[in-house]
Amino acid sequence: MGRILLYIDLFEKQAFCAGSTINGKVVLQLEKAKMVDKINVTFSGRAYIFVSEFEQELKKEKCSHIDSDQENLVDFTTTVWSGSNQQFLDAGRHTFPFSIEIPHSLPSSFLCENLKGCHIAYGLKATVVRPKKKDQSTEIPVSVSNIVDVGHSSFVNPQCVSSTKEKCSLFKCFSNNGHIAMAITTNHCGYCVGDSVIISADIENHTNSKVSSLQTTLMRNVMHKDHVHKKYCTILETAEDNKIWTKKMLQIPSTSPSITDCHLVKVTYELKVKLRMTNKSKLTVSLPITIGSAKEESSDDGYSEQCNLVTRYPSNDTLLSVSSTECLLD
C-alpha cells in the first residue's frame, strides 16, 4: 500500500468571470510508484432547487409534495495526463497543468441564504483513473460571475412610476373624499453593490387624511421556473421617513447580481415604496431595478477592471476554500 495526496492548485483566486480562463494544476504526491491510466480534470455546474414539505409550509406555499429539479449547465472534461505510453508514475511529486475556458453563456453562481436547496454552483474535479482500481478524485468549488454591465446606456437613465387611487374605484378603501397620487423617481435603472439609489417621491393628496410615512424596501425575488413556489422575497434594506421625500438615498447591500439567463432559477430585484396614511390606508408602487456586477470604466484594461468588480459580489466562504484529498491506495 502507498499513500497518495491529490489536490488542485489554482494560479488565481477561485472566482472567475464567465468567458475567462481557469489556469491551474493537478498535484499528485506518491509514496510508491503506481500504475495510472489517465488523470482527468472536469469543470461542471448545475442549477438546483429542493424545497422540503417543511419549507413549503413555512413559506405558506400551496404544494403538498417534496419538490426538486435540476439543470446541468456545463460538464467539460479534459485529460491532463495519459498513461498510454507509460502507465507507471514514479514515487514523488507530479504536477499536471491545465487550462479551461469558461463559456460566456453561464449564469452567475448563486446561493439562496433562506432557501438552502436553491443554488447555481460550479466546481473543478480531478480524477485519477487506475487499472482495476477504484477511481480517486478531489473537487473544489469555484465561483463564476457573468458580466452584468449596468454602465450601459439602458441602465443609467432615470425611471419613474406612478400610481393613483380614486375614491370611487380601487381607492374606495379610503373613507375620505378625493384621491391620492404618488410618483416615484430613481436616478438609474441599474446599480452595483455599494451604489446609492436616489429616490424622490411626488405626492398629490386630495383627501382629508395626512401622509404618515413613506417606506422603501429593496426586494430580491428568486423565481423557480415551472414550479408552484415561484417567488421568495427577502427584505434587504429598508429606509423610512415621515416627510415627503426629495432625493432620499438607499444603499445597495452585498448581494448577488440579477440572474435572468438561467432556465431554472432567476433572480430579480425591485424597489417597493409604500405610502401610509393616518387613517391606516396604504398605497404601494414597485420599480424593477437591475443589480449588476460591473460598470463601464475608463481604464486601459477595462476587462480587468470588470473582473475586479465581479469578485465583490456572489462570494461565499465555502466557494473560496481550499480542498484536497488524501487516501490510501493498494
Side-chain angles (χ1 to χ4, degrees), residues 45-60:
R46 68 170 184 167
Y48 178 76
I49 60 172
F50 173 82
V51 183
S52 67
E53 292 177 344
F54 173 76
E55 286 172 316
Q56 291 172 24
E57 182 178 353
L58 190 65
K59 295 291 183 180
K60 296 182 172 59

Side-chain angles (χ1 to χ4, degrees), residues 180-208:
I180 187 167
M182 177 170 62
I184 302 298
T185 304
T186 61
N187 55 329
H188 300 306
C189 303
Y191 303 87
C192 282
V193 169
D195 287 349
S196 293
V197 184
I198 300 177
I199 307 167
S200 295
D202 185 11
I203 298 173
E204 293 183 8
N205 183 12
H206 299 284
T207 71
N208 295 329

Side-chain angles (χ1 to χ4, degrees), residues 5 8 64 97 103-104 122-123 133 135 151 165 180 210 217 219 265 278 281 301 306-307 315:
L5 177 64
I8 299 174
S64 60
H104 286 83
Y122 301 92
K133 300 290 183 181
D135 293 350
K165 294 281 182 118
I180 187 167
K210 294 183 179 180
T217 304
M219 307 293 292
V265 178
T278 53
S281 298
D301 186 4
Q306 286 182 338
C307 286
S315 61

